[in-house]
Amino acid sequence: MRLTAVHKEEIKIRFAKTETVEDLAQLLSWIYILKFPKRSKKNIILIEAKHLNYYAFKPANRYKQFTIKKKSGGERPISAPRYKLKTIQKCINEVLNAVFTPHFTATGFVPQKSIVDNAKVHIGKQFVFNTDLKNFFPSTEFRRIKAVLGLAPFNLTDENEINSNREKKKTSEEKGKGYLGYLIANLCCDNGCLPQGAPTSPTLTNLVCQRLDKKLYKLAKSINATYSRYADDITFSSNKSVFDDSFKKILVDIIEVQEKFKINFEKERLQNAGERQSVTGIIVNRKSNVDRTFIKDIRFWLMCWNKFNTQATQQKFLIQFPGKRGFLRYGGSTPQFYNYLNGKILFLGMVRGVKDEMFLKFKSDFDHLSERVTGEPVNSKIKEDKILESEINLMTVLNIWKNEGIENAIKKYS
């Protein structure tokens, strides 16, 4: 369940009164009940102070390690938290999002923002400059997380926090708020850094990057350019040729020298208005759009479904789908083609807008075909608020789109 603005305001009030580990456990338990109201009694997770201490300092087996294929080749290591730790992290993430508001130029993993918001500020610009932060999550270390949790608006610090962290025999009240910051940082980190796979990692990177965003926004403003960041993807755009060696030198100084991140120079590119310009997978030359291959794929499967029956179309899909990028994420199996197709059409509506003529035509064709087969449309009422709600819940999916390709993202979406 997605928490409301009223819930978030209540979280802020309760968090401000949180002084001990027991207080924190009670807050997380309250959030858990709000987020998972339909879980059966057998699946209810109890969050107590002893659980927080246990998962914060348990040395091993907190995460499941595996790899996934990268779009560019090679493999990406993933550290997925175990079930109970992941549940605790989801509740912590609600606290982080309620208390902290990222810099307005940050669009990745921010409630009510998506890759469309990241891209649209760069629409129609003569020059679009992209670069990437290398090893984004692993380079966000425990000490940085602990440090920013000690600052406003969290203020999880106290005068004796160094001693309180070492003197384990002290009671919760004696350890103070500094210990809470230390505890949360441990609950959200693995091997001294943010794990790629924990629900809290993206939000915490926005917390750590708020100073970076302010500096890069100031740099962009000084050269009459526009700046935005989606996770590790950094974009500048301008109608003037300002992305020269002098700009790049300042950029390196801010990112690598001052903020201690690393630039992935292999992904650096400057796109001119005469070529196809894309920002986090969205085309931005004249309006936010998807590429022609994406459109052709939707048309092709609608045509097949209309010309042949559902079973014949599924058989054809079984043959073609293994050649698509998303195949590996299904564990070698193939989804129903109409779920795949529906996901692509909804993506189109998110990118081009729910009032876009092409989206409405595809949606109408899809509803008509599904109604002919099942007696009622698969998605008979896709309203604008439903699309917006989908955007809010798609932060992880959109990051998959950016890093692993649209097919993988569609699988997760549908």
Side-chain angles (χ1 to χ4, degrees):
M1 174 180 173
R2 185 160 57 90
L3 302 190
T4 66
V6 175
H7 291 146
K8 292 182 179 181
E9 190 62 33
E10 180 66 19
I11 290 172
K12 288 175 66 175
I13 294 171
R14 294 192 180 205
F15 181 77
K17 298 177 181 178
T18 298
E19 300 284 346
T20 67
V21 181
E22 287 76 12
D23 293 341
L24 179 61
Q26 289 178 10
L27 173 58
L28 297 181
S29 295
W30 179 75
I31 293 171
Y32 173 82
I33 294 170
L34 290 176
K35 281 187 66 65
F36 309 107
K38 294 183 179 180
R39 285 194 178 176
S40 66
K41 292 182 179 180
K42 292 182 179 180
N43 294 325
I44 288 178
I45 298 292
L46 297 176
I47 301 178
E48 300 177 6
K50 63 181 181 181
H51 300 139
L52 300 183
N53 283 309
Y54 175 76
Y55 282 101
F57 306 115
K58 185 179 180 180
N61 298 322
R62 297 191 303 164
Y63 292 84
K64 180 182 178 181
Q65 312 292 336
F66 60 94
T67 59
I68 59 174
K69 298 290 184 181
K70 296 173 67 174
K71 182 175 66 173
S72 57
E75 295 183 331
R76 184 187 308 279
I78 300 294
S79 298
R82 300 291 179 178
Y83 181 74
K84 186 161 186 175
L85 175 59
K86 186 175 183 179
T87 301
I88 292 171
Q89 289 174 342
K90 285 181 177 180
C91 295
I92 291 175
N93 201 47
E94 293 294 347
V95 175
L96 298 175
N97 281 317
V99 177
F100 169 68
T101 301
H103 192 266
F104 71 91
T105 58
T107 57
F109 313 104
V110 178
Q112 301 184 42
K113 288 188 178 181
S114 70
I115 55 173
V116 178
D117 298 286
N118 185 65
K120 69 182 181 182
V121 297
H122 304 290
I123 292 173
K125 298 298 180 66
Q126 290 294 312
F127 302 93
V128 177
F129 176 85
N130 302 96
T131 192
D132 195 270
L133 299 180
K134 193 173 184 179
N135 297 324
F136 188 46
F137 288 113
S139 62
T140 309
E141 301 170 338
F142 170 87
R143 61 178 181 80
R144 303 179 78 167
I145 303 300
K146 175 65 176 69
V148 293
L149 288 174
L151 303 174
F154 296 96
N155 300 312
L156 296 180
T157 186
D158 55 57
E159 295 179 357
N160 301 314
E161 66 173 292
I162 295 178
N163 291 330
S164 66
N165 292 341
R166 293 176 179 174
E167 296 175 20
K168 302 295 184 182
K169 292 183 180 181
K170 283 187 174 183
T171 64
S172 254
E173 290 79 3
E174 292 173 319
K175 287 178 179 177
K177 280 198 169 186
Y179 182 76
L180 292 181
Y182 179 70
L183 181 73
I184 293 173
N186 273 287
L187 283 166
C188 299
C189 289
D190 184 44
N191 294 322
C193 64
L194 290 180
Q196 185 154 324
T200 46
S201 292
T203 306
L204 287 170
T205 56
N206 282 335
L207 182 59
V208 170
C209 286
Q210 56 184 322
R211 189 170 63 183
L212 172 68
D213 290 330
K214 290 177 182 178
K215 291 180 179 180
L216 294 183
Y217 170 71
K218 185 177 180 180
L219 170 62
K221 196 172 181 180
S222 70
I223 58 174
N224 197 27
T226 301
Y227 161 74
S228 71
R229 180 181 61 82
Y230 187 93
D232 58 349
D233 197 297
I234 289 173
T235 304
F236 291 86
S237 63
S238 177
N239 287 320
K240 296 182 179 180
S241 181
V242 294
F243 306 119
D244 52 15
D245 290 340
S246 175
F247 162 79
K248 292 179 183 179
K249 185 177 179 180
I250 298 173
L251 189 66
V252 171
D253 179 67
I254 293 174
I255 294 176
E256 298 200 341
V257 179
Q258 298 180 32
E259 296 303 317
K260 309 302 180 184
F261 287 105
K262 293 292 182 182
I263 297 175
N264 188 348
F265 292 101
E266 294 179 359
K267 293 188 177 181
E268 184 179 293
R269 57 191 175 131
L270 179 62
Q271 305 169 92
N272 299 318
E275 59 185 305
R276 189 180 73 175
Q277 299 170 319
S278 66
V279 177
T280 49
I282 303 292
I283 297 172
V284 295
N285 290 74
R286 287 182 290 182
K287 63 179 182 179
S288 58
N289 205 351
V290 296
D291 60 35
R292 293 179 181 178
T293 304
F294 188 92
I295 301 295
K296 287 180 179 179
D297 198 44
I298 294 177
R299 284 200 179 109
F300 176 78
W301 292 110
L302 284 172
M303 180 273 294
C304 287
W305 200 7
N306 184 49
K307 188 174 182 180
F308 309 106
N309 59 33
T310 302
Q311 185 177 357
T313 306
Q314 182 64 26
Q315 290 300 316
K316 188 174 184 65
F317 189 70
L318 284 169
I319 296 172
Q320 292 198 7
F321 187 72
K324 298 182 180 295
R325 290 174 181 166
F327 180 67
L328 292 174
R329 292 190 64 86
Y330 284 86
S333 62
T334 302
Q336 295 293 324
F337 79 90
Y338 46 77
N339 289 333
Y340 165 88
L341 179 59
N342 187 43
K344 295 201 77 163
I345 292 172
L346 290 179
F347 257 123
L348 182 68
M350 186 184 70
V351 174
R352 293 177 63 120
V354 294
K355 296 180 181 179
D356 176 74
E357 290 184 7
M358 182 178 291
F359 164 70
L360 293 174
K361 174 66 167 58
F362 286 155
K363 174 185 172 296
S364 176
D365 290 346
F366 180 89
D367 287 349
H368 174 73
L369 289 166
S370 62
E371 186 174 11
R372 189 175 71 185
V373 173
T374 64
E376 62 179 11
V378 173
N379 269 326
S380 57
K381 295 181 180 180
I382 306 176
K383 297 182 179 179
E384 185 170 355
D385 59 345
K386 182 66 177 176
I387 297 291
L388 293 174
E389 180 182 347
S390 298
E391 289 184 25
I392 295 169
N393 294 326
L394 277 179
M395 297 303 104
T396 301
V397 178
L398 296 173
N399 193 43
I400 291 172
W401 184 359
K402 170 183 171 296
N403 290 313
E404 303 164 40
I406 186 66
E407 311 300 346
N408 296 350
I410 289 167
K411 179 260 177 181
K412 182 72 175 177
Y413 187 83
S414 60

